[in-house]
């Protein structure tokens, strides 16, 4: 079916992969993510395969689960041919973002590289933490605490850079 996102000028759409959402779940900030002035969405297949079991409450928080058509399926196939070894779920998130003119939200290093190579706007967990501080959803100290919780949970981020970026908001 057709996607209704509302006015794209007022509420930017971000297509996320699963690892960003898991980053914020492990530090207890998942509900605050959805208080930001963005529409967060994932491809339906990614939701079912990677999120629905452990994170069934995401749609209630505001996560949109989007279906996609044959154009996206074709783009996934082309991306996977161009970038051998790229995962289906990852290229699906990128292809959906491209089809909707939305930014991609990912913490996956390989997917970030592919998105940049494709000249597609990509953001990550550090940017989201910064946004939460900028929108006064988190203090700088709370954001640094969240980073530490992510690190202790075995998440992978550029830790030194992340701390520096967050500290600049003091």
């Amino acid at each position: 079916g057709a996607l209704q996102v509302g006015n794209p000028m007022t509420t930017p759409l971000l297509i996320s992969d699963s690892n960003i959402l898991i980053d914020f779940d492990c530090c207890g900030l998942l509900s605050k993510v959805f208080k930001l002035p963005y529409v967060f969405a994932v491809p339906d297949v990614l939701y079912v395969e990677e999120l629905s079991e452990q994170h069934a409450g995401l749609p209630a928080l505001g996560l949109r689960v989007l279906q996609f058509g044959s154009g996206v399926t074709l783009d996934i196939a082309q991306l996977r041919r161009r970038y051998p070894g790229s995962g289906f779920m990852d290229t699906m998130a990128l292809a959906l973002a491209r089809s909707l003119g939305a930014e991609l939200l990912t913490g996956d290093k390989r997917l970030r590289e592919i998105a940049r190579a494709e000249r597609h706007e990509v953001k990550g967990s550090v940017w989201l933490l910064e946004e939460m501080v900028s929108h006064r959803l988190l203090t700088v100290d709370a954001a640094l605490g969240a980073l530490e919780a992510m690190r202790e949970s075995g998440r992978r981020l550029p830790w030194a850079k992340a701390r520096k970026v967050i500290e600049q908001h003091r």
Side-chain angles (χ1 to χ4, degrees):
L3 167 66
Q4 298 297 317
V5 181
N7 183 342
M9 293 299 146
T10 57
T11 310
L13 175 64
L14 299 170
I15 302 297
S16 183
D17 67 2
S18 58
N19 69 49
I20 286 276
L21 299 168
I22 294 166
D23 283 352
F24 283 86
D25 187 37
C26 76
C27 66
L29 291 177
L30 206 45
S31 63
K32 285 197 182 203
V33 167
F34 294 97
K35 289 182 168 69
L36 286 167
Y38 301 100
V39 173
F40 294 89
V42 294
D44 58 350
V45 177
L46 184 146
Y47 177 77
V48 169
E49 295 289 322
E50 296 187 351
L51 294 168
S52 62
E53 206 170 291
Q54 306 268 327
H55 307 279
L58 284 170
L61 289 176
L63 182 70
R64 303 268 181 98
V65 179
L66 305 180
Q67 293 182 324
F68 55 87
S70 57
V72 171
T73 305
L74 191 60
D75 195 27
I76 294 166
Q78 291 169 341
L79 285 167
R80 295 202 64 209
R81 270 196 301 278
R82 259 198 308 276
Y83 304 98
S86 59
F88 179 74
M89 295 294 171
D90 291 340
T91 50
M92 184 186 347
L94 175 56
L96 182 61
R98 283 162 44 127
S99 76
L100 297 171
E103 291 183 357
L104 178 67
L105 194 56
T106 181
D108 183 272
K109 186 179 178 189
R110 175 81 174 124
L111 183 54
R112 293 172 78 83
E113 290 167 356
I114 292 170
R116 287 190 188 111
E118 292 291 316
R119 292 178 170 70
H120 193 86
E121 189 69 32
V122 62
K123 301 200 177 321
S125 292
V126 177
W127 175 82
L128 259 186
L129 275 174
E130 266 194 289
E131 286 293 288
M132 292 169 89
V133 171
S134 297
H135 287 89
R136 292 181 164 69
L137 294 169
L138 286 182
T139 63
V140 168
D141 288 337
L144 292 171
L147 269 180
E148 191 56 32
M150 288 178 198
R151 196 167 65 78
E152 288 171 4
S153 296
R155 306 307 298 161
R156 285 177 283 191
L157 277 86
W159 303 114
K161 179 185 172 200
R163 286 189 67 83
K164 190 176 171 186
V165 164
I166 300 300
E167 287 282 359
Q168 290 172 346
H169 289 273
R170 285 203 188 275

